[in-house]
Amino acid sequence: MTYEILKPETLQDAFGLLDTDDPMVRPFSGGTALMLMMKSGIFSPSRLVVLRDIPGLNGIRLEEDGSLWIGALTTLAELEKSDLVAQHAPVVTHALRHLSNRRVRNVARIGGALAHGDPHMDLPPLLSALNAEVIVEGSNQGRRISVQDLVTGYYETSLESNELIVAVRIPSQQSWQSAYRKFTARSADDWPALGVAVSLNASRNEIQDLRLVVGAATERPTRLEQSEGILRQEGRSGLERATEAAMASVEFMDDAHGSSQWKKALLRVELRRAVQEILDRNT
Amino acid sequence: MTTTEVGRSLPRLEARQKVTGHGNYTHNIKLPGMVHAKVFRSTVPHGRILSIDTSDAIALPGVTAVITGQDILKIIPEPYYGPAFHDQPILALDKVRYVGEPVAVVLAEDPRVAAEAAELIFADYEELPAVYDETEAMTSKAIVHDELKPAGTFPDLKHLIGRKDTNIALDFHLKRGDADAAFASAEHVYEHSFQTQQTMHTPFEPLISLAEPGDGRVTIYSASQSPSFARSEVARLLGWPENRVQVKVGHLGGGFGAKLYIKLEALVAALALLVRRPVRLSLSMEEQFYTITKHASTFHIKSAVDKDGRITARKCEVIWNGGAYADIGPRVTQKSGFTATGPYDIESADIDSYALYTNRPPAGALRGFGIPQLVWAYESHTDLIARDLGIDPVEFRRRNILRDGRPHVTGTIMKDAAIDAVLETLAKRMDWDAPFDHGSGTLKRGRGIAIGFKACVSPTTSVASVSVSADGSATLYLSTVDMGQGSDTAMSQIVAEVLAIRTEDVRVINPDTDITPYDMATLGSRSTFHMGNAVRKAAEHAREQLLEMAEKVGLPKKNTLNVPEIFRHAYGMQAGTVIGVGTYIPTYASPDKDGLSDNVTPFWMIGGTGVEVEVDTETGQIKLLKMVNAADMGNPLNPRIVETQLSGAAIMQLGFTVSEEMILDGGQVTNASLADYKIPGIRDIPPHIENHIVEAYTHDGPFGAKGVGESATFGVSPAVAEAIHDACGVRLTKLPMTAEVLYKALHGEQE
Ligand SMILES: Cc1cc2nc3c(=O)[nH]c(=O)nc-3n(C[C@H](O)[C@H](O)[C@H](O)COP(=O)(O)OP(=O)(O)OC[C@H]3O[C@@H](n4cnc5c(N)ncnc54)[C@H](O)[C@@H]3O)c2cc1C
């Protein structure tokens, strides 16, 4: 059970250390998820590659095109307190206040939060609704992956073992408004039983465009395309039909947070409330 | 009586030490040459051990020894322990009886090596049928223990010796009046059943014990709530005199009943004596779920009510799920069982209370000692009756409440029990008579009040000694364990009051059985009353001696002592010591064959809670908007500490009410970690909490004080159930009342 902890100082060195078929070699950012898995015995590492000493992975800045660039090692607490984030993506600021507790937020980092692949998380569905993408570098060519395409299944992502998320880019949210509703089943600081993220490009009751994403209750954050279609066509009056369609279009998980049947009911309620919340802001 | 130190809300004496990281916790102890232990646990709920293969584990570099139950026999031929029954082996011998039961232990220089080696042990079992549910266990063919083994020291358990083919470890019965006749002629008869779930204490300092072998002796350092019991029980197991076993206890990071009697102490002592090296065993948070828990229970309750809304008779059948080993469960069954009819004035009663063995992790004492399970049922039942009769629930309680001077169903006349005052305080603080807004649309509001009471386990003994130094400072020696409840501070206040010094000038010596005198244990809210009395007597004994000294040396016999002056006159300089000793045991009368006694408890604890909730009928989510706790606190020695006991107890019970539950699958706890077993976090605490101390002088208590640590647990669960009912018309009869449970009750199982 002995394992090595390595602290590369450049991305290139990190890629080299990660470039192996051994699934027990992992990058380590905040370690909050990895440590839990190690404690429960699900994961016993052979090598942990600590990213903390690699320069260039920190900070939050506003790019010329109005997008936010967020370094992968930015802690969730830094994100929560950032004025830039509060100004350009206030829904993120708000969601973070309800993400676990301060001790976790002080340590967990955005790269880890997106690469983890556990469905019971808040940022993957939320950033997906914001149309965010991750900037990925690796031994080979760098690439960009939309957050929506990043998580491919239960604890599965489209990242290669020798690839790292170096930053997250949230595009300009101008003319978009968002809401995120989190439902916890066991305690207020629990992981979500259900998360619903809604982004609307709407004026008054006209919905020009929208993105609806459900997380936690499903195996991976899932876009509710059918419901989006209904709302795009029918506006607010299609809300009831849209929530019905959402319930029918995804597969819910039974787990320690609750039964699939209940989560289905929760989705209807929380999706309706999230959309209404935004539309009500405009009236 | 006017007091200066008693009644002072001074901060806890050890608070600064703790928050600056200097707390004297057992976890910080390092002994020279110490090895670390890791427990290998059973993976089957019930089985005969066929073989244990330890060869790979012992071959791992860094491993000192691997010990099984057979090795323990070399030094302890009868390695069964327990406070009520001698049924629990130090390590499993022939059988395992629950998933998680200790089967073997690895000792290694490094705790991680010990942990890795423990994974290399393989045990082979012949699986036996298992039983988990308390009601099924009453009649099940799966028998957890072949034979009952009550501890011989208790005369009231003797009749159980040698009983076979039963899972009923103990049955307690109380019979008063003619309940059958009352039911036959009753205007109304009501019958309901209620259940509670298995939960865990979750002290933030997990269990830890160390043992150091000596020359014909052993020293145990332990996070224990009962050092005196641990000493005598380990001595009994080893066949040694008590004075060769020393148990030392530092500060505890919470106990709540998890650290009582023997937990790891006998195991570490045996290990240390086997390998002749100091041994440290520290459990993880996860392992605590396999060590001690709170009883799940089923309670069938039936009441006869006359045309005026008076309860004339009550029948109670309570079935306690004690898990695989009795621990203190049989005492919960009796000593809490006899209060199952509630704080009401009821002419006739039948109580049947059963302690059951099942193949679950053992259950013992947890803050309330069974009372919250009982109150949950009898107060829910009370509300349902009031509803059916169309009587306001507070008014219905008023009509039936048990007042001072009236007999409890045991026959004991109620005394210093402010039951009515607690109820009235709640009604007033909840503004009960004002119109209440029940909400609208999908957000419904409701409110509820519930009260409960508890007797104190009896008869038990406390001994204390106070030594007064020539400069007037005092040192208090006692085996009460301060696990965060503030007992060191309260006891010092008593000493200071008697000796007319400042509380800050009293130093408390943490329990060390070589030095501090006997105390039964820190449990069941008994310390303030029992140890408080012993401490008061010890301080008074010292004071008498000082007064005598003063008289002898010709100092004026004044009420205000000038201690340094007395010593100076007596010894010509700052020299000498005065030692006061105090022992307290209350009077008590054992219940007769019908469970009746005219002196069943030294004092009563009374507590209640009122809540206002908001229910989201679309999701089932329950939000507590307001919580009002009130309890009879006697004369509070330190009001500020007492108040935090109220809020702490209520919040703990809130977790057991709406979220906490140990979930089992085939005997395996599937949520044995804080990631999946959720206790209330800061945002689960109601935005509005009030704690009201109902002052009611306890005549036999030290300065009128009584125990306060559990009282606010009593009313929480039924008050929440009633508030939910009031909000949305649904009655839940099983804990915990989660959002999903309520959703299903509102909307049915299927879409
Ligand atoms: C008690 C608790 C409660 C929590 N509650 C919530 C909650 O309610 N909602 C929520 O959203 N989150 C919650 N979290 C946080 C979340 O689940 C993860 O633990 C956290 O986001 C992971 O971040 P980290 O930096 O600690 O990742 P790590 O543990 O370091 O890593 C997580 C995974 O990502 C990989 N990884 C890390 N960084 C990178 C990178 N830059 N590129 C590629 N791969 C990488 C690692 O190899 C690992 O597989 C909670 C955590 C805890 C401990």
Side-chain angles (χ1 to χ4, degrees), chain B residues 666-731:
Chain B
Q668 167 82 46
V669 184
T670 59
N671 60 339
S673 90
L674 290 188
D676 282 314
Y677 179 93
K678 287 294 180 185
I679 63 171
I682 194 74
R683 281 189 280 121
D684 295 296
I685 291 169
H688 181 108
I689 294 198
E690 290 174 28
N691 301 299
H692 297 287
I693 297 173
V694 175
E695 287 195 31
Y697 200 84
T698 311
H699 285 89
D700 300 328
F703 298 99
K706 64 165 62 167
V708 302
E710 301 164 297
S711 306
T713 63
F714 304 162
V716 177
S717 306
V720 173
E722 169 62 15
I724 291 171
H725 195 163
D726 186 40
C728 60
V730 165
R731 172 61 56 165

Side-chain angles (χ1 to χ4, degrees), chain A residues 25-37 51 57 72-73 76 98-101 104 107-118 120-124 159 163-166 182 184 189-192, chain B residues 674-675 678:
Chain A
V25 173
R26 289 276 184 96
F28 185 102
S29 65
T32 58
L34 287 172
M35 295 298 286
L36 264 188
M37 295 196 294
L51 307 181
L57 303 183
L73 287 185
L76 302 189
H98 295 269
L99 191 151
S100 189
N101 56 51
V104 168
V107 180
R109 289 148 199 265
I110 191 168
L114 292 176
H116 185 30
D118 179 337
H120 299 104
M121 311 243 314
D122 296 306
L123 291 181
L159 293 172
E163 284 185 321
L164 287 173
I165 297 174
V166 296
K182 170 177 188 165
T184 62
D189 62 5
D190 198 359
W191 284 273
Chain B
L674 290 188
K678 287 294 180 185

